[in-house]
Amino acid sequence: MAGSTFQFVRSGILWPLRWTYTVEFMEWNFRSAEELSAALRAGEVSSVELTDEAIARIERYDKSINAICVRDFDRARAAARRADQARSRGEDWPPLGIPVTVKESYDIAGLPTTWGMPQHAQYVPTEDAVQVSRLKAAGAVVLGKTNVPLMLRDIQSFNEIYGTTNNPWDHGRTSGGSSGGSAAALACGFGALSIGSDLAGSLRTPAHFCGIYAHKPTLGLAATRGMVAPVAPALPVDLDLAVVGPMARTARDLALLLDVMAGPDPMTHGVAYEAALPPARHERLADFRVLIIEDHPSIPTGSAVRAGVNRVAEALVDEGARIERRSPLLPDPIEAATLYMLLMLSNAAAGLSVDVYEQLRIHAAALSADDRSLDAARLRGMVLSHRDWVEANNRRELHRHGWRQLFAEFDAVVCPITPTPAFPHDHNGGLENRRIDIDGVEYPYFDQLVWAGMATMPGLPATAIPAGLSTEGLPVGVQLIGPMFEDRTPLRLAELLEPKIGGFQAPVVRAPDQASASVCSVKSPSRSSARSALW
């Protein structure tokens, strides 16, 4: 066992801490997957040792965080032994032997997949999701599954089956959603990598709230089969808006895991095609052309997030990159937000019963034609006709063309992920009745999704990166949006920025016997209105 000096952060103040590691907290827990692979290759550690250490850390600390909702430790140890045997035969590739976690919404044979729905608490699929199969084929060691919100429809992670996941930086705040368990797990050192999914910022928001990295791939780049709500069949469908993607503590690890995940489903497009992503546009920060966006006309940007965006802008300027603060080439953000809400809610409401649909249709018909609010767009989206959906989709294609023109002049766009850092747990009432506090003023809870939708609606890749801490000591992240199918460009930009703006910082995580904080109690999500269960 070895001692080491780390920089821990609490309440916005850096302080050096000399820590002599115990068996629960040895030197490997916060190493990157890339570093762990090198150590495994050099014989400095075994996969069994890494796995045992990760399990010990989860067993000690996760009672306070509640990130790992389904443990699979016996099979993880067996997988670690197989990985060590493979290395002894001379086999070597990433992420062979690396402990990882998987979002609860992915099917893993023999483990429950519930999406937080109590009626499906006993549902156990018999086949792995395609991305789980790819992880296992690459030799990754799956420690277990991470917590999610009910039906993945919240930017908090709590449900009646598994309870609430707390933010490692402040247990009274959310870790985000819907991949909140994965983000919290990574921030706590519970494995080096995780896989999540993103429709409304579900990879990017938890990364922003917990201070880690995540990448929303280009729509369609990574196969999604088996990331499906119970008890629906795991079919190789092409999803609209939604993607699956990697989460990690470094930008290079994101790229490593994306290489495992990328590629079409072998049951469909994979019969004819392989993924062949182009290289990053540039290898030096000085060569990047970046558009910086701080403000959205639909919702204010909080001071802490604004400061994070500007830290990134300043780092780019210091390295000689060309930045601009506005461009007429940017597609209309108000229309983009409206289209995003229409498309997202029409998808979410597709399975409604006829009587609920009719009730919503009556409410939508009563809206004033002049009502262009996002709340009106959400209601209209839930009852969108196929004719109107086609029209909205055609407008989306115009936005995609606008983005292609923008990316002829710029290489990336830097903007917020949400208007604020992680907010206090709020489990009361329906989602449409909640509010988000932005510098002391309340706004509709849903409206904060416009930043996530900026990349989601046109299907663009977006990399979430840590951008420092707020004055309250909470992580602040930003997203780097890149050109379609040029995922390596924002990933490379994230890697180059990492040493300039600090990258991941480990929160102080205490075992339950060392702190008064504990897992929050869970209140049942409201089912009093049809609209509260549609996102």
Side-chain angles (χ1 to χ4, degrees):
M1 294 187 288
S4 187
T5 301
F6 279 81
Q7 293 291 323
F8 283 81
V9 181
R10 197 62 170 172
S11 300
I13 302 173
L14 281 169
W15 52 285
L17 175 65
R18 172 66 65 177
W19 194 303
T20 301
Y21 294 100
T22 67
V23 68
E24 291 83 11
F25 186 22
M26 291 173 64
E27 61 180 318
W28 306 109
N29 281 313
F30 286 97
R31 297 284 186 93
S32 69
E34 185 178 39
E35 291 171 327
L36 294 178
S37 291
L40 287 164
R41 189 177 305 117
E44 297 173 7
V45 69
S46 70
S47 179
V48 167
E49 290 171 326
L50 292 179
T51 301
D52 283 342
E53 183 178 326
I55 290 171
R57 184 163 178 80
I58 291 167
E59 288 178 333
R60 180 171 187 186
Y61 293 102
D62 196 39
K63 292 177 183 177
S64 295
I65 304 299
N66 194 33
I68 312 297
C69 61
V70 179
R71 300 180 178 187
D72 199 21
F73 294 163
D74 289 343
R75 291 199 298 186
R77 290 188 170 103
R81 290 192 293 271
R82 290 194 297 272
D84 287 335
Q85 292 165 2
R87 286 197 177 274
S88 71
R89 297 190 297 268
E91 299 175 25
D92 180 22
W93 59 81
L96 179 62
I98 304 298
V100 305
T101 59
V102 171
K103 187 175 181 177
E104 200 270 356
S105 50
Y106 286 86
D107 285 349
I108 299 181
L111 298 181
T113 297
T114 71
W115 288 42
M117 294 185 279
Q119 66 269 34
H120 298 303
Q122 305 305 315
Y123 176 69
V124 178
T126 58
E127 183 179 359
D128 289 341
V130 65
Q131 294 299 343
V132 174
S133 296
R134 288 176 178 176
L135 276 178
K136 290 181 177 180
V141 176
V142 178
L143 298 167
K145 298 180 117 186
T146 57
N147 202 23
V148 297
L150 175 69
M151 297 180 70
L152 313 190
R153 292 177 176 175
D154 202 342
I155 52 177
Q156 305 178 72
S157 290
F158 70 98
N159 61 76
E160 294 181 27
I161 302 173
Y162 299 120
T164 298
T165 298
N166 295 320
N167 192 302
W169 291 83
D170 181 342
H171 294 184
R173 296 175 185 264
T174 180
S175 63
S178 61
S179 307
S182 287
L186 286 165
C188 291
F190 303 160
L193 303 167
S194 193
I195 59 174
S197 61
D198 193 310
L199 168 68
S202 291
L203 285 160
R204 293 163 285 165
T205 298
H208 159 44
F209 285 176
C210 293
I212 62 141
Y213 288 80
H215 181 70
K216 185 199 89 65
T218 297
L219 181 67
L221 176 62
T224 60
R225 175 166 47 90
M227 220 292 297
V228 59
V231 290
L235 300 175
V237 298
D238 293 326
L239 299 178
D240 188 27
L241 300 175
V243 301
V244 296
M247 308 179 80
R249 289 188 294 270
T250 71
R252 287 178 64 88
D253 278 0
L254 286 182
L256 178 156
L257 187 50
L258 182 65
D259 285 344
V260 174
M261 300 182 74
D265 195 306
M267 289 185 178
T268 53
H269 304 293
V271 173
Y273 308 120
E274 294 180 356
L277 295 177
R281 290 187 176 186
H282 307 294
E283 290 299 320
R284 302 186 312 147
L285 280 177
D287 295 330
F288 275 86
R289 304 162 300 168
V290 181
L291 177 62
I292 307 294
I293 304 175
E294 296 179 57
D295 297 300
H296 197 289
S298 298
I299 195 168
T301 301
S303 56
V305 170
R306 188 181 301 277
V309 172
N310 283 305
R311 276 192 290 271
V312 174
E314 290 164 8
L316 288 165
V317 170
D318 288 345
E319 293 299 313
R322 191 198 104 194
I323 73 163
E324 300 289 344
R325 294 280 181 167
R326 58 186 56 84
S327 170
L329 296 172
L330 181 70
D332 181 359
I334 295 178
E335 183 183 39
T338 300
L339 286 173
Y340 174 57
M341 296 298 175
L342 287 172
L343 294 166
M344 179 172 62
L345 271 296
S346 68
N347 189 318
L352 288 175
S353 64
V354 173
D355 58 332
V356 172
Y357 177 85
E358 284 301 317
Q359 179 185 358
L360 292 171
R361 190 182 61 79
I362 292 169
H363 289 314
L367 290 171
S368 167
D370 296 328
D371 189 346
R372 298 299 171 188
S373 66
L374 292 177
D375 193 46
R378 288 186 285 269
L379 181 54
R380 291 183 178 117
M382 284 186 274
V383 295
L384 206 64
S385 69
H386 182 63
R387 175 188 178 93
D388 289 338
W389 186 93
V390 170
E391 194 274 333
N393 188 52
N394 287 339
R395 288 159 61 199
R396 168 165 54 180
E397 289 300 332
L398 291 173
H399 275 255
R400 284 176 172 158
H401 185 63
W403 279 102
R404 283 190 287 269
Q405 293 176 312
L406 183 143
F407 283 123
E409 298 293 328
F410 296 95
D411 303 306
V413 171
V414 174
C415 64
I417 297 169
T418 72
T420 70
F423 51 83
H425 295 297
D426 180 4
H427 303 166
N428 297 314
L431 296 172
E432 77 282 3
N433 296 320
R434 295 185 197 156
R435 312 288 284 179
I436 180 70
D437 183 303
I438 304 176
D439 291 346
V441 180
E442 292 189 341
Y443 296 87
Y445 188 77
F446 273 113
D447 287 5
Q448 63 188 303
L449 300 183
V450 296
W451 287 115
M454 182 168 284
T456 297
M457 188 273 289
L460 300 172
T463 305
I465 67 170
L469 299 173
S470 72
T471 56
E472 294 179 288
L474 297 171
V476 173
V478 303
Q479 60 181 330
L480 317 177
I481 302 175
M484 184 171 279
F485 289 108
E486 294 189 53
D487 295 56
R488 297 198 192 283
T489 291
L491 285 168
R492 178 60 176 160
L493 180 56
E495 179 187 345
L496 293 170
L497 283 167
E498 193 166 350
K500 306 299 179 183
I501 56 175
F504 168 78
Q505 301 177 64
V508 176
V509 180
R510 298 183 177 89
D513 58 353
Q514 297 174 312
S516 60
S518 61
V519 178
C520 296
S521 61
V522 180
K523 298 179 181 179
S524 300
S526 171
R527 295 184 179 83
S528 60
S529 75
R531 298 175 65 189
S532 69
L534 292 179
W535 173 54

